[in-house]
Amino acid sequence: MNYKNALQDKIFEIIARAARELNVESYVIGGFVRDLILQRDHKKDIDIVAVGSGIDLALKVSELIAHKPKVQVFKNYGTAMLRYQDMDIEFVGARKESYQFESRNPVVENGSLEDDQNRRDFTINALALSLNESNFGDLVDPFAGLSDLESKIIRTPLNPDITYSDDPLRMMRAIRFASQLNFEIEVKSLEAISRNKERINIISGERIVDELNKILMSNTPSVGFLLLYKTGLLDIILPELTALNQVEEIEGHTHKNNFYHTLEVVDNICPNTDDVWLRWSALLHDIGKAPTKKYNKKQGWTFHGHEFLGGKMAKKIFERLHMPLNHKLKFVQKMVMMSSRPIVLAQDIVTDSAVRRLVFDAGEDVESLMTLCEADITTKNPKKFQKYHNNFKIVREKIVEVEERDKVRVFQPPISGEEIMELFNLKPSREIGVLKEAVKEAILEGEIPNEYQAAYDFVLKRAEKMGLKKAT
């Protein structure tokens, strides 16, 4: 099969010419070819393999491009990269690889195109298109990768036990591709992942998280997380999640399975956000439920304080997996710790003061919180489902109304601590804090509007009760 028409972009002509001048064979390989055949977006990253030096080919290609793009050379890996228009193009020499048990970094030696295709993770990523004059555009497919693409199968070119043991990150990649492409993992390959799951322990947290992020950013992340669970990888990577997969019964009372509920929430939120950290919030929003679960005759099953504990657990997960311990963690913690607040609001009469407190505590993230909480409605009872969503609509309307009137989203006290000190001739003291807090509470409770004069009058009255006199 020839794909000459798909290689019309000027860059392929330049690479072909550079390879010809160096007298080496060159091929486009991997994800570009896979996504081209699947008719997915395929023009951002291009991998080129040279049967010879990939670095020399990259340098020659740069010479032949009018503006001579900078070539980044990675000598240790025998690779080079340049940017052309909006494409990142990576060049590598064809190579053989062998692995040592305690490391996923291979021992590399020069090889043929066939050797290079042998080392690829999956048959669908071993597909190559020739850039050589004699057979430009021809598909080189030694492992029936095209057939696997048509059958929607993830399969390794060689023995899957060797493939996954050599580089255990490939287990995560297999599951990620299954989730992204909605493909099935071949049975032998899936069984090999289960057998080799402990090997994931040699992979860094950063690389694991990179794959988890890609699974979370797929259209239906539950596909990937169910495969991670089925193979035993999830219990190693995120045991806090698998701990939710148990349903207990006491005196005929059961609680819902919070693991499957969580996956449903993650799937629910995906059509409404491309923010990976909000999707992480959905994944972790109930992790505090396993350790806080209790049963008593009056209330049945309870999970008191699970949001607060879940926020603390989220930090430990971020630390363990070497995730960013900055505003991204703070955002996820806030979402987890506040995840039940709008739901409680939606169950009761929606008061202005409750909405003000919600907006005050959520701040700029109130919209994200509402998106999470709407995704959290997984009841199969149509009447309950409709009731919750109708109530959420009321909560959203109240948020707009209260925010326009009271400006509490980014709360700034209408009267400052410095003014209060001047007003009563005080130095920094506990009384200043008490008065500032009283003003804030009065605004949130709706006792006074969020305005200077109202706050000023309120401070005078409250200060008088505290025995403070206005300075003359």
Side-chain angles (χ1 to χ4, degrees):
M1 193 175 293
N2 189 283
Y3 289 87
K4 189 172 182 177
N5 289 338
L7 300 176
Q8 293 299 306
D9 197 292
K10 179 80 173 167
I11 190 61
F12 297 116
E13 181 190 319
I14 294 169
I15 294 167
R17 180 182 157 195
R20 194 164 59 246
E21 289 186 17
L22 292 173
N23 198 28
V24 298
E25 293 177 23
S26 63
Y27 300 84
V28 195
I29 197 164
F32 175 91
V33 183
R34 177 197 70 227
D35 290 342
L36 169 72
I37 296 168
L38 287 174
Q39 298 183 326
R40 297 172 84 231
D41 181 21
H42 57 274
K43 289 197 173 180
K44 287 181 184 171
D45 298 300
I46 300 175
D47 292 326
I48 304 294
V49 65
V51 185
S53 169
I55 293 172
D56 288 350
L57 180 58
L59 294 169
K60 178 55 97 174
V61 167
S62 178
E63 271 180 41
L64 297 177
I65 295 172
H67 67 282
K68 310 255 182 305
K70 183 184 175 185
V71 178
Q72 286 181 284
V73 174
F74 307 94
K75 274 194 175 174
N76 289 348
Y77 298 99
T79 64
M81 183 181 283
L82 61 81
R83 188 160 180 80
Y84 175 80
Q85 294 175 352
D86 60 346
M87 295 175 278
D88 289 319
I89 306 172
E90 186 168 352
F91 298 80
V92 63
R95 58 199 191 185
K96 290 182 185 176
E97 290 181 348
S98 56
Y99 289 81
Q100 295 176 326
F101 188 76
E102 67 281 356
S103 171
R104 68 176 288 268
N105 296 321
V107 176
V108 176
E109 54 185 301
N110 293 337
S112 62
L113 173 66
E114 186 180 352
D115 290 327
D116 201 86
Q117 287 174 302
N118 278 336
R119 76 180 182 82
R120 299 279 161 173
D121 49 8
F122 310 113
T123 60
I124 62 171
N125 291 337
L127 296 162
L129 292 179
S130 171
L131 296 178
N132 305 303
E133 201 169 12
S134 60
N135 58 352
F136 189 89
D138 276 5
L139 182 68
V140 186
D141 180 17
F143 303 112
L146 186 60
S147 173
D148 286 344
L149 274 184
E150 289 165 354
S151 304
K152 298 191 170 186
I153 293 290
I154 307 288
R155 186 168 59 88
T156 59
L158 305 176
N159 181 327
D161 281 298
I162 295 170
T163 297
Y164 295 135
S165 181
D166 279 352
D167 183 354
L169 188 65
R170 289 168 175 165
M171 298 187 287
M172 297 285 297
R173 283 170 59 81
I175 290 169
R176 183 248 292 184
F177 282 123
S179 195
Q180 282 181 328
L181 303 174
N182 199 22
F183 277 28
E184 296 278 331
I185 299 176
E186 182 208 31
V187 173
K188 287 180 186 174
S189 199
L190 197 61
E191 289 169 351
I193 293 174
S194 295
R195 281 194 296 273
N196 290 278
K197 63 181 183 290
E198 296 294 338
R199 294 280 291 146
I200 201 67
N201 286 312
I202 71 166
I203 302 296
S204 70
E206 292 90 342
R207 287 189 176 275
I208 288 171
V209 168
D210 188 45
E211 295 300 326
L212 287 175
N213 285 346
K214 288 172 182 173
I215 292 170
L216 274 171
M217 291 309 292
S218 62
N219 291 334
T220 315
S222 62
V223 171
F225 282 97
L226 285 170
L227 285 169
L228 287 171
Y229 177 72
K230 185 177 180 180
T231 55
L233 284 169
L234 194 61
D235 205 33
I236 298 169
I237 298 166
L238 283 171
E240 297 87 349
L241 262 186
T242 57
L244 297 174
N245 191 17
Q246 50 178 299
V247 177
E248 288 185 61
E249 181 175 338
I250 294 180
E251 297 176 353
H253 294 274
T254 59
H255 56 83
K256 70 183 171 191
N257 185 307
N258 287 303
F259 175 69
Y260 289 97
H261 162 74
T262 292
L263 296 189
E264 205 175 335
V265 174
V266 175
D267 285 350
N268 283 350
I269 208 168
C270 289
N272 300 314
T273 183
D274 287 329
D275 180 352
V276 71
W277 302 110
L278 187 50
R279 294 189 182 197
W280 265 103
S281 303
L283 186 70
L284 302 182
H285 82 283
D286 268 350
I287 52 170
K289 281 193 170 177
T292 58
K293 181 171 62 177
K294 284 182 181 167
Y295 177 81
N296 65 63
K297 287 188 177 183
K298 280 188 178 179
Q299 296 174 290
W301 289 103
T302 64
F303 306 91
H304 293 312
H306 77 270
E307 303 96 338
F308 177 72
L309 182 61
K312 292 173 78 172
M313 290 169 72
K315 185 180 182 189
K316 288 182 180 176
I317 289 169
F318 271 56
E319 287 171 343
R320 187 176 73 235
L321 293 177
H322 303 139
M323 293 167 75
L325 303 177
N326 54 16
H327 62 281
K328 291 166 184 174
L329 166 61
K330 284 188 169 61
F331 171 79
V332 172
Q333 284 187 297
K334 184 198 279 189
M335 292 297 103
V336 171
M337 293 170 85
M338 293 190 70
S339 58
S340 296
R341 289 272 294 277
I343 291 173
V344 172
L345 267 183
Q347 287 172 329
D348 300 322
I349 296 166
V350 185
T351 64
D352 282 10
S353 62
V355 171
R356 264 191 296 271
R357 286 191 177 279
L358 178 74
V359 175
F360 176 78
D361 291 337
E364 288 297 322
D365 301 315
V366 70
E367 182 58 38
S368 295
L369 182 62
M370 292 300 296
T371 301
L372 171 60
C373 290
E374 284 174 338
D376 200 7
I377 305 304
T378 60
T379 177
K380 300 299 177 280
N381 181 318
K383 284 185 179 177
K384 274 190 179 178
F385 184 88
Q386 197 57 51
K387 182 188 169 192
Y388 272 120
H389 280 276
N390 287 343
N391 284 7
F392 272 128
K393 191 178 175 187
I394 295 167
V395 173
R396 282 183 179 276
E397 287 167 358
K398 281 271 190 186
I399 286 171
V400 173
E401 182 188 315
V402 162
E403 175 56 21
E404 282 178 0
R405 187 176 67 238
D406 300 323
K407 306 286 186 293
V408 292
R409 188 177 295 222
V410 185
F411 184 80
Q412 292 293 330
I415 185 164
S416 69
E418 288 79 9
E419 284 180 274
I420 295 171
M421 284 191 283
E422 202 175 309
L423 198 56
F424 301 104
N425 197 20
L426 291 170
K427 291 183 177 176
S429 60
R430 189 183 68 84
E431 284 86 352
I432 308 301
V434 169
L435 286 169
K436 282 181 70 180
E437 183 65 21
V439 170
K440 184 191 88 177
E441 286 296 314
I443 291 168
L444 292 179
E445 283 300 318
E447 292 174 31
I448 61 169
N450 189 3
E451 296 167 0
Y452 177 80
Q453 191 59 49
Y456 180 90
D457 294 341
F458 176 86
V459 165
L460 288 178
K461 285 178 187 173
R462 181 56 63 95
E464 191 178 342
K465 286 181 184 176
M466 293 167 61
L468 296 175
K469 290 186 178 177
K470 186 180 172 186
T472 53

